[in-house]
Amino acid sequence: MISSIIFTLIAVGSFVFAGREFLKIRRNILLGKELAIEGDTRQRWGNVFLIALGQQKMFKRWIPAVLHLFIYVAFVITQVELIEILVDGIFGTHRFFYAPLGGFYSFIISFIEVLSVLALVATIAFLVRRNIMRLSRFHKPEMKGWPSKDANLILVLEIFLIFFIFLMNSSDMHLHDNKYGFAVSQFLSPIWEGTGESTLHLLERVGWWGHILVVFAFLNYLPFSKHLHIIFAFPNTYFASLKSRGEMENMPEIMNEVKSMFGIPVESTDAVNAENLEFGANDVPSLSWKNVLDAYSCTECGRCTAVCPANLTGKKLSPRKIVMDIRDRADEIGKKLDSGNADFAKDKNQPLSASNFDDGRSLFDYIAAEEIHACTTCNACVEACPVLINPLEPILKLRRYEILSLSQGPQEWLPMFNSLENSGAVWSMSQDRDAWKADL
Amino acid sequence: MAEMAAEGREPEILFWVGCAGSFDARAQKVTKAICQVLDAVGMSFAILGTEEMCTGDPARRAGNEFVFQTLALQNIQILNGYEVKKIVTACPHCFNTLKNEYPALGGNYEVVHHSQLLQELINAGRIKMSEGGTFKGKKITYHDSCYLGRVNGVYEAPRAVLESLDSQLVEMKRCRSNGLCCGAGGAQMFKEDEPGDKRINLERAEEALKTGASIVAANCPFCLTMMQDGIKAKDKQDEVMVYDLAELIVNNMVR
Ligand code: SF4
Ligand code: SF4
């Protein structure tokens, strides 16, 4: 009875706390600008099934893909067991579904056990890969500190989870003369030969509580971790742009201005707000909400950075860092909004809110000019990302801001711009554009 | 194009030459090669000549939307004025901008890259290769440009064109969707690399050299320059040549 109450309190508490954090993330994502989601819904679901659920992009490299799949499937399937844990925890029952499901129950739990063993193998392999083999993409500057700890912590949590599952199942099996017939625990239960019944009960309880507490801890840890991708990969692949990669987002305000300059009739009547013209993006609120969703979906795997030609040749640009910076900045704005500190209000006479916010900082406090200038727009990062994040889009928006709103940018581009404006060619040339015809 | 229009003739295709194809000495050779191929197969084509402007790709990717729109809208006015329907270009950046970015501004055309046109002409038997041509049995490696390959998904056409040379195609480790950029895109062509360990074109040139190929085939005037410079930096310019697909074909076709 007491344990039921304690369990219910912990369960409700952890759902409430986690829920609050998830709502904050939602708020942070919606700091971004509106974006119309266009295109075929079926194609979007196709992406969700193939890329999020089917992990298609992971399979460019087989070994990590298979190992990751073990952890992922084990994790998802283990959640089935969570239903029973919740029922047992609240009503004080024991293996509630065993009686009604019988053999099928044993099958499900056995399945989970086998997956857990595979996940254990994968987890250890990942720990080795990160910390002993030290794969370079896991040790770039942006991974220092929390990001590396985050990655290891989750792997360690996974090991604890698996340990508790087997502690629970094997001691329970021994207590019940192996009647459950779980695939892996039946081989483990002989360890408990000669252990007293009360000790076994205690061990079973430790396993049960340990397991569920790790799950609750994980739930509350997710919002602060790169492991948010286990949830966000789904909406992120759904909302990923279906347009051609080659098309940069059009800027109708500028198009219309130029059109009217040339006397071309302008279809849209969207009045350009001439006073407050800011082009491109310098901060989270001027990115699209999809750019921010991208940032929260990032697995920090570094596949993008590992193929980035700029990063490969020692430049400071790392597409992963750009994406992580956007998340950090969104978190920063979120925290400042939560603080209610009136210093962060843009208009000090109005209450602090997402639309009345100015802390004097921007993404340019995170991202240096040399980073955004180094990008060749090669799209390798876009191609590489397993969860369809587009790191290139924010880079280009930052460039637009720099050039259009700040009138800055690499000096070397000025002659090109001048020549384009004056002669319509990238280089200033004395000869005619078709001079080459002469010696055809 | 102006002449043809004045005479009331309509070309089969408009050849978009691009800035590099017009002014860069190396790329001019590619421009001429394409003209020679089109002439040889008897395909009527036109160029915009002095009415053509940069498509605006480097300006847009540098962030200068204003300059991009200025160029693009003028080009579209000209193209629409001549009622152009089909365009071929030897530059993947022009190709991408004309194909993917002009529609939003009111310019809708069927756009092909010259590697696609070459493949079409070879398949249709309009281009015939001479037996035992210059490149027979030679090792050729193909460099995927970002804007033809990864961005527009054209991987097979240029390879099919190379196959027709009877040469031996060897792939670099990073090819097709994993191809490594030459370093020129995103308006990098018009500035120095940011501080780092190495130039990007050197990294790619080293990879091309590793294949042991004596010819590096490209499909983009900027890749051409970048690869050539990279190979020169490795002092291999006498052993390894960098050519555009069109140059290889023109050298090997029955005319
Ligand atoms: S598009 Fe830019 S950031 Fe992405 S891989 Fe290429 S150079 Fe790096
Ligand atoms: S952006 Fe994509 S590829 Fe890059 S680190 Fe994040 S999840 Fe990995």
Side-chain angles (χ1 to χ4, degrees):
Chain A
M1 188 57 203
I2 299 250
S3 71
S4 288
I5 294 172
I6 295 174
F7 176 83
T8 311
L9 284 178
I10 295 177
V12 170
S14 74
F15 280 114
V16 168
F17 276 110
R20 276 193 5 199
E21 290 303 325
F22 277 101
L23 284 176
K24 281 186 198 166
I25 290 178
R26 189 187 127 86
R27 189 258 332 261
N28 293 354
I29 289 170
L30 294 178
L31 288 172
K33 271 198 201 161
E34 264 181 61
L35 176 78
I37 296 299
E38 292 164 357
D40 186 7
T41 315
R42 272 183 45 207
Q43 204 181 335
R44 292 182 181 282
W45 282 111
N47 279 346
V48 174
F49 279 106
L50 281 175
I51 294 176
L53 199 63
Q55 317 211 335
Q56 191 189 44
K57 291 229 163 192
M58 292 289 287
F59 279 88
K60 282 188 177 172
R61 279 199 230 105
W62 275 86
I63 297 173
V66 170
L67 293 174
H68 181 266
L69 194 70
F70 288 163
I71 298 188
Y72 162 72
V73 176
F75 182 83
V76 172
I77 307 280
T78 314
Q79 303 321 312
V80 175
E81 212 188 352
L82 197 64
I83 305 172
E84 182 178 56
I85 292 196
L86 286 177
V87 173
D88 285 350
I90 294 170
F91 301 107
T93 47
H94 182 72
R95 296 204 184 264
F96 178 81
F97 290 113
Y98 176 65
L101 294 179
F104 185 58
Y105 181 87
S106 299
F107 169 76
I108 293 180
I109 303 290
S110 296
F111 192 58
I112 292 174
E113 286 198 339
V114 172
L115 283 170
S116 299
V117 173
L118 294 175
L120 183 66
V121 173
T123 308
I124 293 169
F126 279 167
L127 278 169
V128 168
R129 204 165 64 124
R130 252 177 210 277
N131 301 300
I132 299 176
M133 286 160 61
R134 293 185 67 83
L135 239 62
S136 74
R137 72 181 152 104
F138 296 134
H139 299 279
K140 297 272 174 186
E142 67 266 24
M143 296 307 285
K144 293 234 159 64
W146 168 245
S148 293
K149 282 202 200 89
D150 180 18
N152 282 323
L153 194 64
I154 209 79
L155 290 170
V156 172
L157 268 183
E158 180 77 31
I159 290 180
F160 272 108
L161 190 66
I162 296 169
F163 169 78
F164 285 130
I165 289 178
F166 285 119
L167 179 64
M168 170 176 85
N169 286 352
S170 62
S171 54
D172 204 20
M173 285 273 281
H174 201 74
L175 274 171
H176 294 90
D177 302 324
N178 287 343
K179 76 166 176 179
Y180 298 123
F182 299 151
V184 179
S185 297
Q186 60 180 321
F187 300 108
L188 295 175
S189 82
I191 310 173
W192 308 120
E193 210 59 64
T195 312
E197 196 166 317
S198 58
T199 317
L200 277 178
H201 269 295
L202 186 69
L203 287 173
E204 191 273 339
R205 284 294 88 189
V206 169
W208 190 89
W209 278 98
H211 176 171
I212 190 64
L213 289 178
V214 171
V215 171
F216 285 153
F218 186 75
L219 182 68
N220 278 277
Y221 169 72
L222 265 192
F224 306 97
S225 160
K226 68 164 186 136
H227 295 92
L228 202 51
H229 75 264
I230 60 169
I231 300 172
F232 279 28
F234 293 87
N236 204 57
T237 46
Y238 181 83
F239 290 120
S241 169
L242 299 177
K243 284 197 191 160
S244 160
R245 273 181 198 163
E247 184 183 355
M248 265 175 80
E249 196 194 352
N250 195 25
M251 299 180 77
E253 325 86 54
I254 296 187
M255 178 177 76
N256 290 340
E257 199 186 320
V258 175
K259 272 188 177 175
S260 49
M261 210 170 76
F262 288 137
I264 306 171
V266 176
E267 287 153 32
S268 129
T269 47
D270 295 346
V272 183
N273 181 357
E275 276 165 42
N276 200 7
L277 271 193
E278 278 210 341
F279 296 116
N282 68 332
D283 205 355
V284 165
S286 43
L287 291 170
S288 75
W289 63 261
K290 176 63 172 72
N291 296 143
V292 193
L293 176 63
D294 270 357
Y296 278 101
S297 309
C298 179
T299 74
E300 296 175 14
C301 68
R303 284 177 171 74
C304 51
T305 295
V307 294
C308 173
N311 193 275
L312 280 169
T313 53
K315 277 92 185 172
K316 201 176 164 210
L317 171 63
S318 159
R320 167 173 57 190
K321 175 178 175 292
I322 303 285
V323 175
M324 290 168 69
D325 285 342
I326 295 170
R327 178 171 177 172
D328 288 347
R329 173 64 181 154
D331 279 339
E332 182 190 0
I333 296 181
K335 280 204 192 89
K336 287 182 173 166
L337 286 173
D338 289 334
S339 76
N341 186 340
D343 288 347
F344 299 132
K346 192 173 190 175
D347 177 351
K348 304 273 185 266
N349 300 317
Q350 299 292 323
L352 178 71
S353 72
S355 52
N356 183 35
F357 176 85
D358 184 5
D359 63 346
R361 283 165 61 79
S362 74
L363 274 174
F364 287 107
D365 292 299
Y366 289 77
I367 301 168
E370 71 171 275
E371 294 172 54
I372 57 172
H373 295 166
C375 175
T376 72
T377 73
C378 74
N379 274 273
C381 50
V382 182
E383 169 75 30
C385 181
V387 291
L388 298 188
I389 289 167
N390 185 334
L392 171 58
E393 199 174 283
I395 295 176
L396 290 172
K397 288 183 180 176
L398 289 163
R399 278 191 183 177
R400 279 179 165 169
Y401 188 89
E402 219 193 9
I403 299 270
L404 298 168
S405 301
L406 302 177
S407 304
Q408 289 171 6
Q411 283 297 313
E412 298 148 281
W413 278 344
L414 289 180
M416 173 185 77
F417 293 149
N418 285 336
S419 155
L420 284 170
E421 275 180 301
N422 298 331
S423 66
V426 278
W427 302 285
S428 290
M429 289 301 205
S430 51
Q431 87 220 79
D432 269 347
R433 206 174 171 94
D434 54 1
W436 54 270
K437 265 190 346 194
D439 45 17
L440 199 61
Chain B
M1 186 71 217
E3 287 165 34
M4 275 197 163
E7 295 163 18
R9 287 187 296 143
E10 200 183 310
E12 227 176 301
I13 203 160
L14 180 95
F15 175 24
W16 185 275
V17 185
C19 295
S22 300
F23 297 117
D24 179 84
R26 180 69 189 80
Q28 280 176 348
K29 291 190 187 155
V30 180
T31 306
K32 288 173 202 161
I34 290 176
C35 292
Q36 284 163 357
V37 173
L38 293 177
D39 278 339
V41 301
M43 183 179 259
S44 78
F45 71 98
I47 58 167
L48 287 182
T50 51
E51 289 184 298
E52 182 188 285
M53 287 186 174
C54 173
T55 56
D57 159 84
R60 187 171 231 196
R61 274 152 191 82
N64 201 331
E65 186 73 1
F66 193 82
V67 168
F68 166 75
Q69 294 282 350
T70 311
L71 296 165
L73 288 167
Q74 292 183 80
N75 281 326
I76 290 171
Q77 272 188 312
I78 302 270
L79 289 167
N80 289 355
Y82 290 126
E83 291 176 27
V84 169
K85 290 178 196 73
K86 190 167 178 182
I87 304 177
V88 61
T89 172
C91 171
H93 295 270
C94 297
F95 168 72
N96 178 67
T97 302
L98 292 166
K99 178 170 185 273
N100 296 320
E101 300 193 320
Y102 277 18
L105 277 64
N108 294 288
Y109 321 101
E110 183 194 344
V111 189
V112 293
H113 181 258
H114 73 304
S115 61
Q116 295 170 309
L117 185 67
L118 289 174
Q119 188 201 15
E120 241 176 71
L121 292 171
I122 292 168
N123 287 350
R126 288 172 76 179
I127 294 179
K128 285 198 189 55
M129 292 297 159
S130 44
E131 285 297 318
T134 348
F135 307 110
K136 192 169 173 149
K138 280 209 173 136
K139 265 195 187 174
I140 299 189
T141 188
Y142 171 68
H143 166 74
D144 287 279
S145 69
C146 304
Y147 275 79
L148 189 64
R150 203 160 29 236
V151 174
N152 284 292
V154 182
Y155 301 113
E156 298 312 325
R159 288 183 168 80
V161 170
L162 290 173
E163 295 286 326
S164 74
L165 296 172
D166 254 351
S167 50
Q168 190 193 343
L169 186 60
V170 282
E171 294 286 0
M172 287 183 253
K173 197 161 167 245
R174 290 173 282 199
C175 63
R176 295 175 198 262
S177 65
N178 295 323
L180 181 74
C181 178
C182 71
Q188 295 299 324
M189 185 71 193
F190 308 98
K191 63 189 264 299
E192 277 303 313
D193 277 23
E194 295 301 319
D197 309 331
K198 194 186 202 180
R199 282 166 191 263
I200 297 173
N201 63 338
L202 199 61
E203 170 84 13
R204 188 55 165 170
E206 283 170 1
E207 192 172 2
L209 291 173
K210 258 191 222 143
T211 63
S214 58
I215 292 171
V216 179
N219 62 52
C220 167
F222 301 108
C223 297
L224 216 55
T225 309
M226 283 297 193
M227 295 305 283
Q228 219 158 20
D229 287 354
I231 285 168
K232 207 164 162 197
K234 289 260 131 187
D235 217 9
K236 287 275 193 280
Q237 69 274 27
D238 298 328
E239 294 133 67
V240 180
M241 295 296 164
V242 187
Y243 288 117
D244 182 274
L245 294 171
E247 295 176 291
L248 296 173
I249 293 299
V250 107
N251 262 312
N252 218 40
M253 71 189 276
V254 185
R255 284 202 269 170

